[in-house]
Amino acid sequence: MIVAGGSGIRMKAGLPKQFLLLGGVPVLMHTVQVFYRYDPDIQIIVVLPASQVKEWERLCLEYAFSVPHKTGIGGDSRFHSVQKNLNFVPDHCLVAVHDGVRPLVSRETIERCFSQAERYGNAVPCVEIPESMRMVFPEGNKPADRTVYRLIQTPQVFKGVLLRKAYEQSYRPEFTDDASVVECLGEKIHLVHGNPENIKITLPHDLKMAEALLGDQYHL
Amino acid sequence: MIVAGGSGIRMKAGLPKQFLLLGGVPVLMHTVQVFYRYDPDIQIIVVLPASQVKEWERLCLEYAFSVPHKTGIGGDSRFHSVQKNLNFVPDHCLVAVHDGVRPLVSRETIERCFSQAERYGNAVPCVEIPESMRMVFPEGNKPADRTVYRLIQTPQVFKGVLLRKAYEQSYRPEFTDDASVVECLGEKIHLVHGNPENIKITLPHDLKMAEALLGDQYHL
């Protein structure tokens, strides 16, 4: 399940980030393609805000994008987008939930997530924090030991039954990603290595960095 | 003070990171240049491991690098490199300590650091954390609220007297940057906005990203 934009609130550019061009092709197509290349039999569902579905279909025609996928309609937030579209997911499979704006996930990261989720019920990719950190408070700030923190990426992979059960819960503000929803069931989250290039394209300079990194990994 | 490589332990490539080519020119020259462009009257000292000084001088000739600067010899760690070279710093000035492998610091970040350090005694640039975070423990992991953390960058700017006094202390393992050394005197650290492109070049993909971002900012 490739989730591309919840409500559209974070998209300040004229064009939603997932439709911006990366190497001449919309970001979201790169993302879909990586999973298809990983396994051509994978079932892909692209979840988009209702207002963007027509534009996505038009782009697929324009770019002759032929990777088989379903299109699902998102909700008011990322949580609701995933929740609504879990109906399409059969119980006895693994479900990977991935950000549409992370086209640089490596084949190895996807592989690790699926194989570890098979074994542990879930797998969440992460990377170490490359710089010094501080914690900020209203009254000041203090150092934080970066070695005990990890940056969390996607795809977050879960056994289908588990993820569906997790999303029967009502939304809470602390649900910042799928791992936090599943954890709330009392499940232990299993971290695996992500890849540092697997950045989320949210700022203009991210798109430039992605452009630079794209060359090495794959081309559409 | 531009610090380029403490002991060289972190440099696994054949060539130290600060000498790798970025846009056809060694990274360190870009870094020195940004400060010179900010203020042509700035006093720049480049601190290098003793074993790299000759190579730096050779590179300066090869690339006809004419930005005026002194070269200082580093110590066994970043702490000792800064400590040794503070002798060159007059009392009544502001001292910026900057990583040699952060060539993408913006003019605005430098400006903010100097002007806020003038006012508060110190200024340390930081950026927000763009992704979900977790804390890891031997027995598992738990979510961390990314909104209360910041990634710390350089230049870290201090009043000269303050920084020199801070570096009279003996080395401690918790001294991960200059801010932590100064804080140990009981000084309150003043955070200012950095720029997200101001990445530290430590991994091969960082160099590629820097290459992509360089075009916009400046050229040698």
Side-chain angles (χ1 to χ4, degrees), chain B residues 134-206:
Chain B
R134 288 193 160 254
M135 274 187 92
V136 294
F137 310 101
E139 62 282 11
N141 61 81
K142 67 170 191 186
D145 178 3
R146 69 184 177 95
T147 64
V148 301
Y149 296 89
R150 298 289 180 276
L151 295 175
I152 301 301
Q153 306 183 330
T154 69
Q156 301 189 351
V157 182
F158 307 90
K159 290 196 170 166
V161 192
L162 176 63
L163 189 62
R164 211 185 272 171
K165 192 172 159 208
Y167 272 92
E168 282 166 10
Q169 300 172 93
S170 300
Y171 175 73
R172 300 191 200 178
E174 61 266 37
F175 291 165
T176 55
D177 59 359
D178 308 288
S180 56
V181 183
V182 167
E183 192 171 38
C184 209
L185 290 182
E187 208 66 23
K188 210 168 161 177
I189 296 303
H190 184 71
L191 297 178
V192 303
H193 288 289
N195 57 299
E197 306 82 8
N198 185 16
I199 57 171
K200 197 167 170 175
I201 298 180
T202 49
L203 297 169
H205 82 274
D206 297 324

Side-chain angles (χ1 to χ4, degrees), chain A residues 64-111:
Chain A
F65 186 67
S66 61
V67 172
H69 67 277
K70 281 188 198 153
T71 305
I73 293 174
D76 285 340
S77 71
R78 195 181 188 289
F79 176 88
H80 295 104
S81 294
V82 175
Q83 191 179 50
K84 273 178 76 173
N85 287 281
L86 279 175
N87 306 325
F88 295 99
V89 172
D91 273 353
H92 299 288
C93 70
L94 292 173
V95 189
V97 186
H98 187 69
D99 295 327
V101 291
R102 287 194 197 261
L104 295 169
V105 58
S106 71
R107 190 191 170 84
E108 291 74 21
T109 296
I110 300 175
E111 170 67 40

Side-chain angles (χ1 to χ4, degrees), chain A residues 8 10-20 52 55:
Chain A
R10 287 175 302 175
M11 292 155 199
K12 287 172 195 160
L15 207 61
K17 297 280 186 296
Q18 58 266 26
F19 295 161
L20 292 175
Q52 293 175 20
E55 176 64 3

